[in-house]
Amino acid sequence: MQRRPTMDTLLSKEFYTMSNANNLLDNSIAILSQLLRTKQCSAVELLTEATANIDKHDASINSFITVQAKGHLMTMAQESDKRRTTDSSPLEGLPYS
């Protein structure tokens, strides 16, 4: 029986790079929150990937009525990166829709 990886293993740079190199947003909210908290990724990186996914797929699935201006969202993500602390909400900096 294969053992499940521990949180330390999941958050290690090597595991993260090997297992999720294609899409950062494939990780769970818990892992993304921990990656943000430990500064292994930023809210700007997550938002960049999320908006790229919207641009790539929304024309064919029409899942969004309105998407805010990317410049405004990037400013909000940069501010989130600056104010994030270990006491921040687990959702601080995570893009969602």
Side-chain angles (χ1 to χ4, degrees):
M1 182 164 72
Q2 189 174 6
R3 291 186 122 172
R4 296 182 73 183
T6 66
M7 188 59 93
D8 288 338
T9 303
L10 291 173
L11 295 176
S12 72
K13 202 67 157 169
E14 296 77 26
F15 182 86
Y16 166 72
T17 304
M18 289 185 310
S19 64
N20 300 300
N22 294 332
N23 195 344
L24 185 59
L25 295 175
D26 285 341
N27 288 293
S28 69
I29 289 173
I31 290 174
L32 290 175
S33 179
Q34 206 48 30
L35 290 171
L36 285 168
R37 184 172 287 123
T38 59
K39 301 193 184 308
Q40 293 184 45
C41 75
S42 70
V44 172
E45 289 174 288
L46 294 176
L47 181 61
T48 300
E49 191 166 306
T51 56
N53 285 342
I54 291 170
D55 291 343
K56 182 178 179 181
H57 300 290
D58 194 48
S60 62
I61 60 175
N62 294 318
S63 59
F64 292 95
I65 296 170
T66 304
V67 178
Q68 289 185 354
K70 289 178 187 168
H72 175 68
L73 292 173
M74 282 299 170
T75 301
M76 292 171 48
Q78 289 168 343
E79 290 172 8
S80 178
D81 283 335
K82 289 178 188 174
R83 72 174 171 263
R84 186 169 184 78
T85 66
T86 55
D87 295 332
S88 294
S89 163
L91 300 179
E92 177 75 37
L94 295 178
Y96 61 92
S97 54

